[in-house]
Amino acid sequence: MSDKTDEAWVGKKFARKEDHRLTTGRGRFLADLSIPGMLHLTFLRSERAHATIKSIDTSAANALPGVIAIYKGEDIRDKILPMPQPVVQPNLSARFPKHWPLAVGKVKFHGEPVAAIVSRDKYVGADAAEAIVVEYEDLPYVGDPEKALEAGSTKVHDDWDDNLIFEMGFTGGDTSESQATNDAEVDEIMKTADIVIKNRFRVQRCGMTPMETRGVIADWDDADGLVAHITTQRPHIDRLGLSDILDIPAEQVRVISPRDQGGGFGVKAPFYREPILICWIAKELGRPIRWVETRQEHLMAVSQERDQINDLEVAASKDGKLLAIRNRGIADCGDGCEGVYWGFVMPFLGAVELPNGYTWEKGDVKLKVAVTNKSCLSPARAFGEFPTRFAMERSVDMIAKRCNMEPAELRRKNLIPELPYTSVCGEYMDSGDFLKVWDNLMKQADLPSFRRKQEEAHREGRYIGIGFGLGVELSGVSSELMVPMENQPGYGAATIRLDARGKAFVYEGDAPQGQGHETTAAQAVAHAFGIHPNDVVVVTGDTSTTPFGSGTIGARMGSYFVSAAVDASEVLKKKLARFLAHDLELEDATEGDFEFKDGEIIYIKDPKIRQSFRDACNRNIMAPINLPEGESAGLEHTSFFEAAKPMIAFNADVCTVEVNPENGQFNLLSWTTSEDVGQIINPQIVEGQMQGAIVQGISNTIFEEFIYDENGQQLTADFENYKLATAADVPYMRITHAPTPCPHTPLGSRGIGEGRPSDVPGCLTNAVCDALSPFGIEITELPLRPDKIWRLIQDAKSTQAAN
């Protein structure tokens, strides 16, 4: 039973509806699902980074009891269409490497699937994988993106002329003439500006590591077709991709994303090769097949991003006015064999968002992306912008030092003062108040007090520092950007169905992985109808029951999906109001004359006239007689929300550190944020999103790094060698807000969670450099490790001694 309560659920802390089942062990993740007669699939993965496959001997493995079938690349190349396929191919001008679910002819990275074993259980599958003998002929390893782009470099893809998968300029317009004119203008600024700083910034290969790895359960029935349970952020995209590539009529493909998933963070957004093969085998054998990815597979094959070089040059006047940027980005996207993203879409967006929230007058920004013998880059939180924002935020601090200005003062001076605004790279920023967010941060930081403490610390021989960073983030991704970037729409869609007992069912095509969609959507819909969130049920991720959704990507929940759900609710509210006005013979009443509050529909002009929400729903559904003219029974509506323009959110961070110059060790002392997420729906969920994003950013900045040896063997395929941040590594975080409601969404809400880690590396590194300012140290490479800091200190001491 629901209690009557104030209907204003938007903006309230409300315990997450998901948490009870998750904290009591009642969650149902993919590995908890089982189908009678289910077989297990095990992949044999390449032990080489680049090699021709001479032979694959499966005789000993086939002889093992419990082995049902073994498939090699040559077995499937004529039975499964190769990638690329149009539905998962961006409209950007690029190359799209041809590939199958299993390696055909040669392997291109350490960990590429070479064979697939179907067995009665996973233990037999593991034994069979060890029994398979593969004869390789090694080829030269291509591991450096710059060398990969050199003339005469070994080709990763034999049918290509070189290793360039994507190249683009982002400034100067659409014609070669306008671009040449723009570049000349930037060059002139660089020649004449008071201050010009140029550095090479490197960000290592690292990424996001969700608690739950990927998995698939596929089942085929000749009457109903394919049902595939996939740990995916994008079930509707997977459905279309599987239909096209397996040549199965779309009406015979159903993809279900498990209600409970242990994180995604972008990693579960691509259209991967493994589900393709597993679904095909299920159809081929007529048996359900399950595959649950091991942690080693996950770390080797998909959990990788960043990996960029940015040669960034910035110009400014001596009074601290930022003038121009020039960047030459080079990204290593691995082999590029990954549907939807192909490894280059992330660097593409990172280049678009390079200017950040600053008012650059001119820019010359160009990007090249190389394929190498590594696994393809996968999406990760701070999609593509983690490396470029590190370069930008570090460069802004360096300009401030050259101008003898406080970095905070220089930032405020150059923040975009008024929106809307379009950056030099063409990013449209729709609304908000950057100065308001920044001023709130500075109030929290109390910079004058910190500088006094810093002087005291220096007198005591201690080195403490403060660092700032800021970030413009996409608030959802509009179709205007999504269609060219991913060949998919960006709109949000939601179906609301009311039942005869006054309960609301919300259907979402996107698939959450722990963000709190059930709670947030329930609060927004409960707010609209004036009912309790416990009277709202949210159903997600089943392509047979939910409207089409592009997926849980780009912070779409708080901007696009919630907006669609609210719009659908408003349509149904108007219908309920029309029915009530008709039944009570309120001839002059309009739809706006009724208030939905505390489980009742109240006639505002005479509050004594009211009806319970439950009775109103029951009348429409169960007693469809004497209807208002032109009306029909039923309370169900689907809305599609698309903002008129791309939307953004904005944040700023400040952190403090203490560095020990004797060994380079540093401690994070504090972290404070200032956020503009527009109208906050649930403060508790927003705070958790921000904390989690910052922890991930810290972990990427300090600890995480995928390392390869000279032959391309990955040395970091387990948590013993791939270090993640723990609770002991992060400080208490103070999350504060300075919101400006978004004018384009019905609630005024914005989405921010996806891009939120982006300013963390710059902020943290700025603090370390500020602490070590007596040594004049500038850090331009990640990860931020004590040994590197110590070496820089030693070099600085040697230079100072020599002078």
Side-chain angles (χ1 to χ4, degrees):
M1 294 291 291
S2 300
D3 296 324
K4 286 191 174 183
T5 184
D6 181 359
E7 87 286 0
W9 287 104
V10 168
K12 283 189 175 182
K13 287 188 177 182
F14 180 72
R16 289 181 13 137
K17 291 165 69 74
E18 303 91 330
D19 284 356
H20 179 72
R21 67 175 186 270
L22 295 175
T23 56
T24 56
R26 292 182 174 89
R28 284 181 61 78
F29 298 86
L30 185 126
D32 296 316
L33 306 180
S34 181
I35 300 175
M38 184 171 67
L39 301 173
H40 295 260
L41 186 135
T42 304
F43 283 104
L44 173 68
R45 294 182 178 268
S46 170
E47 297 178 352
R48 304 289 202 280
H50 197 198
T52 300
I53 299 173
K54 303 297 288 183
S55 66
I56 302 176
D57 183 356
T58 63
S59 56
N62 271 316
L64 291 175
V67 171
I68 308 301
I70 298 177
Y71 297 92
K72 300 170 287 185
E74 295 299 332
D75 299 328
I76 65 166
R77 67 176 301 169
D78 296 326
K79 298 178 180 179
I80 299 177
L81 292 173
M83 294 281 277
Q85 293 297 319
V87 71
V88 290
Q89 181 176 321
N91 288 318
L92 295 168
S93 179
R95 285 168 159 168
F96 301 94
K98 186 177 182 179
H99 66 284
W100 285 265
L102 297 172
V104 174
K106 75 171 187 176
V107 294
K108 296 180 288 296
F109 69 92
H110 180 207
E112 183 173 7
V114 173
I117 303 117
V118 181
S119 60
R120 69 175 180 232
D121 60 47
K122 63 182 181 180
Y123 305 104
V124 171
D127 291 341
E130 291 186 2
I132 296 174
V133 178
V134 184
E135 182 184 356
Y136 295 103
E137 183 178 316
D138 287 330
L139 296 169
Y141 166 59
V142 181
D144 181 287
E146 289 185 291
K147 292 181 179 178
L149 295 176
E150 292 176 356
S153 176
T154 299
K155 291 181 292 183
V156 173
H157 299 290
D158 294 340
D159 55 341
W160 290 12
D161 296 330
D162 54 37
N163 291 316
L164 181 68
I165 188 171
F166 179 76
E167 180 178 19
M168 186 172 177
F170 296 82
T171 47
D174 297 328
T175 68
S176 57
E177 292 79 9
S178 65
Q179 291 166 8
T181 299
N182 174 79
D183 294 354
E185 292 171 348
V186 172
D187 190 56
E188 184 62 25
I189 293 173
M190 295 296 176
K191 290 177 180 177
T192 59
D194 298 327
I195 298 170
V196 176
I197 292 176
K198 182 177 181 180
N199 288 284
R200 166 162 283 204
F201 295 92
R202 289 181 178 268
V203 173
Q204 80 282 19
R205 179 170 282 236
C206 60
M208 296 287 108
T209 309
M211 289 188 293
E212 182 190 21
T213 57
R214 297 178 300 150
V216 179
I217 297 177
D219 191 17
W220 173 265
D221 180 272
D222 288 337
D224 297 327
L226 175 69
V227 177
H229 300 260
I230 305 175
T231 53
T232 176
Q233 296 172 220
R234 316 182 80 173
H236 284 272
I237 300 301
D238 281 9
R239 172 180 172 266
L240 294 177
L242 289 170
S243 172
D244 288 357
I245 203 166
L246 296 179
D247 196 24
I248 301 173
E251 70 273 14
Q252 286 193 300
V253 180
R254 179 184 183 187
V255 174
I256 303 170
S257 179
R259 180 174 67 166
D260 298 318
Q261 288 191 58
F265 313 118
V267 172
K268 295 174 183 174
F271 183 63
Y272 286 118
R273 64 179 85 196
E274 291 92 347
I276 299 170
L277 182 65
I278 292 160
C279 291
W280 179 82
I281 293 175
K283 184 175 183 293
E284 184 82 357
L285 296 181
R287 296 278 300 275
I289 308 290
R290 179 168 74 172
W291 168 68
V292 176
E293 184 180 49
T294 67
R295 181 59 66 183
Q296 184 180 55
E297 286 181 299
H298 191 84
L299 290 172
M300 293 180 72
V302 301
S303 194
Q304 306 191 8
E305 225 259 65
R306 322 310 186 198
D307 208 354
Q308 285 189 40
I309 300 167
N310 285 285
D311 292 313
L312 179 60
E313 192 171 6
V314 295
S317 63
K318 59 186 177 183
D319 64 351
K321 179 70 176 72
L322 299 178
L323 302 175
I325 54 174
R326 180 159 56 196
N327 191 56
R328 297 294 180 264
I330 298 174
D332 179 345
C333 83
D335 73 344
C337 296
E338 177 191 277
V340 179
Y341 299 96
W342 303 92
F344 68 80
V345 174
M346 288 74 72
F348 159 81
L349 189 60
V352 171
E353 297 195 311
L354 171 67
N356 208 354
Y358 303 111
T359 54
W360 301 100
E361 295 177 3
K362 283 287 181 179
D364 171 10
V365 177
K366 295 179 173 62
L367 170 70
K368 290 183 177 182
V369 184
V371 290
T372 62
N373 292 126
K374 300 173 188 172
S375 66
C376 185
L377 288 190
S378 296
R381 215 170 182 183
F383 186 103
E385 63 190 13
F386 193 92
T388 53
R389 194 144 293 167
F390 170 65
M392 178 57 67
E393 290 304 296
R394 287 294 298 120
S395 295
V396 168
D397 252 39
M398 294 179 195
I399 287 287
K401 290 179 184 178
R402 287 282 297 274
C403 294
N404 293 316
M405 290 177 66
E406 273 285 358
E409 179 187 349
L410 185 135
R411 280 181 170 80
R412 193 186 194 285
K413 180 173 184 174
N414 290 281
L415 279 178
I416 296 167
E418 188 175 350
L419 299 175
Y421 181 89
T422 301
S423 79
V424 294
C425 287
E427 182 179 18
Y428 179 82
M429 305 176 197
D430 69 299
S431 62
D433 188 336
F434 292 1
L435 295 175
K436 176 182 175 182
V437 173
W438 184 258
D439 290 344
N440 174 62
L441 183 74
M442 295 308 298
K443 180 180 178 181
Q444 308 295 331
D446 191 4
L447 185 57
S449 175
F450 179 84
R451 290 302 184 199
R452 290 191 294 271
K453 292 177 183 177
Q454 189 178 43
E455 290 178 6
E456 279 182 39
H458 281 168
R459 288 192 291 270
E460 298 169 1
R462 296 169 47 237
Y463 295 82
I464 62 174
I466 191 167
F468 298 93
L470 56 90
V472 174
E473 312 295 348
L474 294 178
S475 175
V477 189
S478 68
S479 293
E480 183 178 306
L481 180 56
M482 278 283 283
V483 171
M485 188 170 76
E486 298 184 16
N487 196 22
Q488 292 152 16
Y491 56 71
T495 297
I496 308 291
R497 188 179 75 223
L498 302 176
D499 75 1
R501 298 298 177 262
K503 309 300 181 182
F505 292 80
V506 184
Y507 296 90
E508 175 189 9
D510 299 342
Q513 309 87 43
Q515 297 93 329
H517 285 208
E518 290 179 46
T519 305
T520 304
Q523 285 185 249
V525 171
H527 179 88
F529 288 125
I531 59 178
H532 196 283
N534 288 343
D535 289 331
V536 181
V537 177
V538 180
V539 179
T540 64
D542 185 337
T543 61
S544 287
T545 60
T546 62
F548 182 87
S550 288
T552 303
I553 58 169
R556 282 164 44 85
M557 174 61 185
S559 51
Y560 282 76
F561 171 69
V562 163
S563 296
V566 170
D567 284 350
S569 301
E570 291 301 321
V571 170
L572 296 179
K573 285 172 63 178
K574 291 176 181 177
K575 185 171 185 177
L576 288 168
R578 293 194 299 270
F579 267 69
L580 185 55
H582 169 78
D583 291 349
L584 298 179
E585 299 181 352
L586 302 173
E587 295 181 1
D588 296 329
T590 65
E591 297 165 347
D593 289 336
F594 294 89
E595 180 181 18
F596 288 68
K597 182 179 181 180
D598 291 341
E600 294 185 306
I601 306 174
I602 305 167
Y603 185 44
I604 296 172
K605 295 179 179 179
D606 184 355
K608 294 179 181 179
I609 300 175
R610 59 180 63 199
Q611 184 180 38
S612 74
F613 185 75
R614 171 175 170 153
D615 287 347
C617 293
N618 187 76
R619 182 265 188 267
N620 179 285
I621 296 167
M622 301 301 293
I625 58 174
N626 186 28
L627 303 181
E629 184 177 354
E631 297 285 358
S632 61
L635 293 169
E636 181 171 332
H637 185 77
T638 300
S639 285
F640 295 84
F641 173 83
E642 184 85 79
K645 287 286 187 178
M647 300 181 293
I648 56 101
F650 184 69
N651 67 272
D653 287 350
V654 57
C655 73
T656 59
V657 301
E658 180 167 359
V659 184
N660 183 342
E662 299 303 315
N663 55 22
Q665 295 281 351
F666 59 93
N667 292 321
L668 258 167
L669 304 177
S670 68
W671 199 287
T672 303
T673 81
S674 182
E675 317 281 349
D676 180 5
V677 298
Q679 170 62 58
I680 297 171
I681 298 173
N682 185 320
Q684 181 174 288
I685 287 179
V686 170
E687 185 167 341
Q689 283 281 310
M690 299 305 100
Q691 290 173 339
I694 293 163
V695 170
Q696 288 176 321
I698 291 170
S699 189
N700 277 185
T701 300
I702 301 175
F703 300 112
E704 299 180 47
E705 183 176 18
F706 290 108
I707 297 174
Y708 299 81
D709 69 12
E710 66 277 8
N711 298 313
Q713 294 280 310
Q714 186 175 324
L715 306 178
T716 46
D718 55 48
F719 285 149
E720 183 177 1
N721 296 294
Y722 187 78
K723 172 81 167 73
L724 298 174
T726 69
D729 300 311
V730 296
Y732 169 77
M733 297 176 198
R734 188 159 43 132
I735 311 297
T736 72
H737 304 282
T740 300
C742 178
H744 308 300
T745 59
L747 293 180
S749 56
R750 305 176 189 270
I752 195 174
E754 187 279 324
R756 188 57 185 82
S758 66
D759 71 333
V760 172
C763 182
L764 178 51
T765 308
N766 286 338
V768 170
C769 291
D770 182 66
L772 297 175
S773 57
F775 299 99
I777 286 171
E778 298 292 2
I779 297 170
T780 58
E781 184 174 337
L782 297 181
L784 184 62
R785 298 269 174 78
D787 61 323
K788 294 180 182 178
I789 296 171
W790 181 82
R791 291 190 189 98
L792 289 171
I793 293 171
Q794 304 314 304
D795 292 343
K797 287 181 177 179
S798 297
T799 300
Q800 290 174 351
N803 294 333

